[in-house]
Amino acid sequence: MDFATAALLHRGTVIPAHPLALDESRRLDEERQRALTRYYLEAGAGGLAVGVHTTQFEIREHGLYRPVLELAAEEINRRAPFTTDAGQAVPGPFVRIAGVAGPTRQAVAEAEVARELGYDAVLVSPGGLPDLSPDDLLDRGAAIGEVLPTIGFYLQEAVGGRYLPRAYWRRLAEQPSTVAVKAAPFDRYRTLELVQGVADSDRGAEVALYTGNDDNIVSDLLTPFHVRGGVRRFVGGLLGHWAVWTRSAVRILQDAHAAVDGDAEARARVEALNAMCVDANAAVFDVRNNFAGVIAGVHEVLRREGILRGIWCLDPHETLSPGQAEELTRVQKTYADWLS
């Protein structure tokens, strides 16, 4: 990872999880897939995570892993922010993250595809591997880290995650390839254990903390964690929730950073949005139905904004739950001044 990109990752930025655009025949809609990437760039995101849960893990079974990563890489390369260096425009930092999944051989192969396409790091999913012990997961992460820098991932159990103890996060942080960790257990106790584990490592300061707790975004960004070596904070978010209303997410993170730096007005603004974020996430992620409509909920918001043509998922049975559309309408009306 080049210095400017690493600096952006560690300073903290908005990294949406990239959805998958399909047509009514459930084939890849290349035009809308590219439009999605442009939307995130124009909204001010500092990175993108492609091939992750929000992209639908099933892309692998449908031969879409490389095509989807390739489309995003092409749009990022065309439209990523530019800076001026010695009078010339040069690409500015933008964090390109690819999701990798499956057994070690598959995950390493996916990391090699990501490296070939110019991605900076890989988000290593621990899901779907019940036969692997925590030691096995660490060995898998080290093998993937031979290809690209890695981002550890604490995945909630509702979508295939498992409990991983404090010692696991210490040992993961000690791996030289680990540059960040995404905390998404949707559990305050487990989130605290993750932060403590990373801080226990002698490399802890080199590992950026990103919230993936879509139910607790603002609190994660504002909370000081008093741990070994001082105070650690979540510096940004790598979130499925930030795949929608992304401009609002950019404003939230800007205010959170300013609040941490002592800006009282920014703190008041962002704290006032805490309940709104939780309420909106409950509707998008279909919390009442144990997250059954989470992907369709993201798609529905993007459809209403004219970015997607429909809410089709690769699994034809995956759609909005009863009452979810009405909940989305309610939150959009209630928080119209904030959601964009």
Side-chain angles (χ1 to χ4, degrees):
M1 189 181 297
D2 67 77
F3 178 81
T5 302
L8 174 61
L9 179 69
H10 283 265
R11 184 167 64 249
T13 192
V14 169
I15 305 177
H18 202 307
L20 179 68
L22 300 176
D23 62 20
E24 60 273 16
S25 299
R26 303 185 193 277
R27 293 190 297 259
L28 178 63
D29 185 339
E30 181 175 324
E31 177 187 355
R32 294 305 172 109
Q33 190 71 19
R34 291 183 182 276
L36 269 172
T37 305
R38 294 196 298 272
Y39 163 67
Y40 298 122
L41 289 163
E42 292 166 7
L48 275 174
V50 190
V52 293
H53 175 250
T54 305
T55 324
Q56 300 176 56
F57 287 133
E58 295 90 340
I59 59 173
R60 294 157 174 86
E61 302 163 16
H62 291 261
L64 292 175
Y65 184 77
R66 175 184 283 270
V68 167
L69 263 65
E70 198 163 22
L71 289 174
E74 288 175 359
E75 290 300 316
I76 293 168
N77 291 340
R78 288 193 187 108
R79 300 170 186 273
F82 280 77
T83 59
T84 301
D85 183 19
Q88 293 187 338
V90 297
F94 190 85
V95 187
R96 299 158 171 84
I97 297 169
V100 299
T104 301
R105 181 176 296 181
Q106 175 187 332
V108 168
E110 290 179 357
E112 289 169 346
V113 170
R115 180 178 62 185
E116 178 187 338
L117 295 175
Y119 282 78
D120 301 299
V122 290
L123 179 68
V124 182
S125 173
L129 301 166
D131 295 332
L132 295 191
S133 68
D135 285 348
D136 294 333
L137 289 176
L138 289 165
D139 289 343
R140 171 175 171 261
I144 297 166
E146 294 291 324
V147 182
L148 276 176
T150 59
I151 298 173
F153 187 6
Y154 204 163
L155 180 66
Q156 62 159 317
E157 290 187 29
V159 291
R162 68 167 98 171
Y163 172 67
L164 293 167
R166 175 172 171 168
Y168 173 88
W169 299 106
R170 174 185 57 78
R171 293 174 62 194
L172 182 69
E174 287 172 353
Q175 294 186 354
S177 58
T178 303
V179 293
V181 170
K182 169 181 173 172
F186 285 37
D187 181 290
R188 305 315 300 153
Y189 300 109
R190 295 184 183 188
T191 297
L192 179 58
E193 280 191 303
L194 177 150
V195 177
Q196 292 170 333
V198 170
D200 286 345
S201 167
D202 291 337
R203 286 193 69 252
E206 300 174 46
V207 178
L209 298 177
Y210 273 72
T211 180
N213 288 319
D214 304 73
D215 64 336
N216 215 64
I217 298 167
V218 171
S219 293
D220 272 356
L221 294 173
L222 293 180
T223 298
F225 292 85
H226 295 271
V227 291
R228 176 192 176 213
V231 174
R232 290 299 308 269
R233 295 182 181 271
F234 285 95
V235 296
L238 199 169
L239 294 156
H241 183 70
W242 281 358
V244 298
W245 305 311
T246 307
R247 288 185 180 88
S248 182
V250 171
R251 293 194 296 268
I252 285 170
L253 185 61
Q254 288 172 343
D255 272 346
H257 282 178
V260 169
D261 289 338
D263 186 329
E265 292 183 359
R267 177 172 289 276
R269 283 196 302 270
V270 74
E271 285 179 342
L273 299 180
N274 191 8
M276 178 210 74
C277 288
V278 176
D279 194 15
N281 181 256
V284 176
F285 275 29
D286 193 27
V287 173
R288 290 181 179 177
N289 296 287
N290 199 32
F291 305 96
V294 55
I295 303 297
V298 169
H299 289 184
E300 175 63 9
V301 175
L302 294 169
R303 185 196 66 80
R304 294 182 184 193
E305 295 185 348
I307 302 171
L308 292 183
R309 291 191 174 99
I311 66 169
W312 306 290
C313 297
L314 290 170
D315 180 352
H317 300 292
E318 193 165 0
T319 189
L320 295 176
S321 293
Q324 189 178 1
E326 291 77 11
E327 276 295 284
L328 287 170
T329 298
R330 178 186 64 80
V331 299
Q332 287 184 299
K333 288 182 177 178
T334 303
Y335 309 114
D337 292 341
W338 297 102
L339 299 177
S340 63

